[in-house]
Amino acid sequence: MMTSLLIVCLLTVLIHAAETLSYAVRFAGVRMGKLAVALSLTGVIVLVARTANLAQAPLTGKMVDQALKDPGFDLETVLRLIIAASTLGTLIAITLFPSFVRLFSRAVVHLEAAGSIPKLVSSVTVDRLRSARTHFRKPTWSMLRSLRLYGIPKRFLLLNMAVTAIYTIGVLSTLYASYMDPDHLVAISQSSGLINGMATILLTLFIDPQVAIHTDRALTDPKEKPKLGRMFGLMMFSRLCGTMLAQAIFWPAAWWVGALARWLLV
C-alpha cells in the first residue's frame, strides 16, 4: 500500500505542477505575440494532467477499499498526504515558472514552424534537449518583491484560492464521505460534482473572464505585459494557498457531500 500511496502522491505532484505551469504557456504566448499558437500547447498539459488523473483514480479508490477491510488503516491521514502532494506540485511549478516561460517561448516558435504537436515532438533532438539547459533560471528575490497587487483585485485572488481548494479536495473528500457511510458508498462516491460544480461556476463566471481581459490588454499594450506576469505570479501563489486551505476544508466538505447525497436519496 505504501507503493500505491507514493505513486498517487507523485501523480498528484505532476497534475498540480502541470496545471500551474499552464500559466507559463499563456504568458509565453503573450510575450511572443502568438497567443493562439501558445494556447494549442495547453492541450499537451491537459493531456498530461488527465492521463495522470486516469492512473491516480483507481489507486486512490483501492485505498478506500483497503480502509473498509482494515479498521487500522488511517484513510484520513493518507488522503491528507495526497493533498500535501498537491501543495508540493504547485510549489515546484512556481519555482520552475521563469524557466518554463523561456522554454515555452521557444516551443511556440518551433510549433509554428512544425505546424502540429506530433511534428514538434518528432523534431526534438538530443542537441535541442541539451540546449534547453540554457533556458533555466533560478527565481530571484526581485521576482517575489514585484508580486504586488498593482490593480489586481484581492477578491479575484481569493476566489482563485477558493476554487483551487475545492478542486483539490473535490474527489478526495467524496471518497472519504463514502468511506464514512458505506451503506451509501456508490451513491456518495459519484457525488464529487456536488463540490466541483461550485468551483466550476466560480471559475467560469469570475476568474476566466478576468484572466482573458488582462491577457488581451497585454497583447495590445506592451506596458501591460509586466502586469500580466505579476498577475500570473500572484495567481500561482493563490493556488499554493488554495492547496493549503484544502487541508482545512477537507473534513467539512466530506461531511457536506455525504449529508447532501443522503438527502437526495430520500
Side-chain angles (χ1 to χ4, degrees):
M1 191 55 65
M2 287 301 299
T3 301
S4 297
L5 176 59
L6 179 60
I7 294 173
V8 169
C9 287
L10 289 175
L11 289 172
T12 302
V13 168
L14 178 62
I15 291 166
H16 282 264
E19 291 178 349
T20 305
L21 285 173
S22 65
Y23 296 141
V25 180
R26 190 184 293 261
F27 190 44
V30 171
R31 289 182 62 177
M32 302 299 292
K34 303 179 187 298
L35 180 61
V37 178
L39 290 178
S40 67
L41 280 175
T42 60
V44 178
I45 293 177
V46 170
L47 180 62
V48 169
R50 288 181 178 174
T51 302
N53 262 319
L54 287 173
Q56 181 201 51
L59 290 172
T60 309
K62 183 181 178 181
M63 294 176 185
V64 178
D65 292 338
Q66 178 66 26
L68 289 170
K69 295 176 183 177
D70 181 7
F73 187 86
D74 191 350
L75 181 63
E76 181 177 355
T77 298
V78 167
L79 295 179
R80 288 189 180 279
L81 286 173
I82 296 173
I83 297 173
S86 69
T87 302
L88 177 61
T90 306
L91 186 60
I92 290 173
I94 292 172
T95 305
L96 294 176
F97 183 78
S99 301
F100 270 79
V101 169
R102 296 172 65 90
L103 286 171
F104 283 133
S105 296
R106 298 302 304 163
V108 166
V109 174
H110 291 305
L111 176 59
E112 187 176 35
S116 68
I117 297 293
K119 288 183 179 180
L120 173 65
V121 174
S122 63
S123 68
V124 176
T125 63
V126 175
D127 289 337
R128 283 185 175 178
L129 289 175
R130 288 174 178 170
S131 65
R133 293 179 300 178
T134 62
H135 298 291
F136 279 87
R137 295 290 183 273
K138 293 180 180 180
T140 62
W141 179 245
S142 61
M143 293 179 186
L144 296 176
R145 286 189 301 175
S146 70
L147 297 180
R148 298 174 184 174
L149 295 184
Y150 286 105
I152 299 170
K154 294 179 182 178
R155 63 181 178 276
F156 169 70
L157 299 175
L158 291 174
L159 280 172
N160 190 52
M161 182 175 69
V163 168
T164 302
I166 295 170
Y167 272 132
T168 299
I169 52 90
V171 174
L172 298 178
S173 59
T174 302
L175 288 173
Y176 191 65
S178 65
Y179 160 74
M180 292 193 298
D181 188 0
D183 292 336
H184 301 92
L185 188 146
V186 177
I188 295 176
S189 65
Q190 299 300 311
S191 302
S192 60
L194 296 174
I195 298 179
N196 288 343
M198 294 187 299
T200 301
I201 292 171
L202 291 173
L203 182 69
T204 304
L205 294 182
F206 300 106
I207 296 178
D208 282 348
Q210 282 287 327
V211 174
I213 290 170
H214 285 287
T215 302
D216 282 345
R217 286 176 180 171
L219 281 172
T220 56
D221 184 359
K223 294 180 181 179
E224 291 289 324
K225 289 183 181 180
K227 182 177 178 180
L228 182 67
R230 288 191 290 269
M231 184 191 75
F232 286 145
L234 288 167
M235 288 184 70
M236 287 189 294
F237 276 103
S238 70
R239 279 184 63 92
L240 181 66
C241 293
T243 61
M244 292 186 284
L245 176 62
Q247 296 280 6
I249 68 172
F250 168 73
W251 203 93
W255 177 87
W256 181 80
V257 73
L260 186 58
R262 286 190 296 272
W263 178 76
L264 293 172
L265 290 173
V266 174

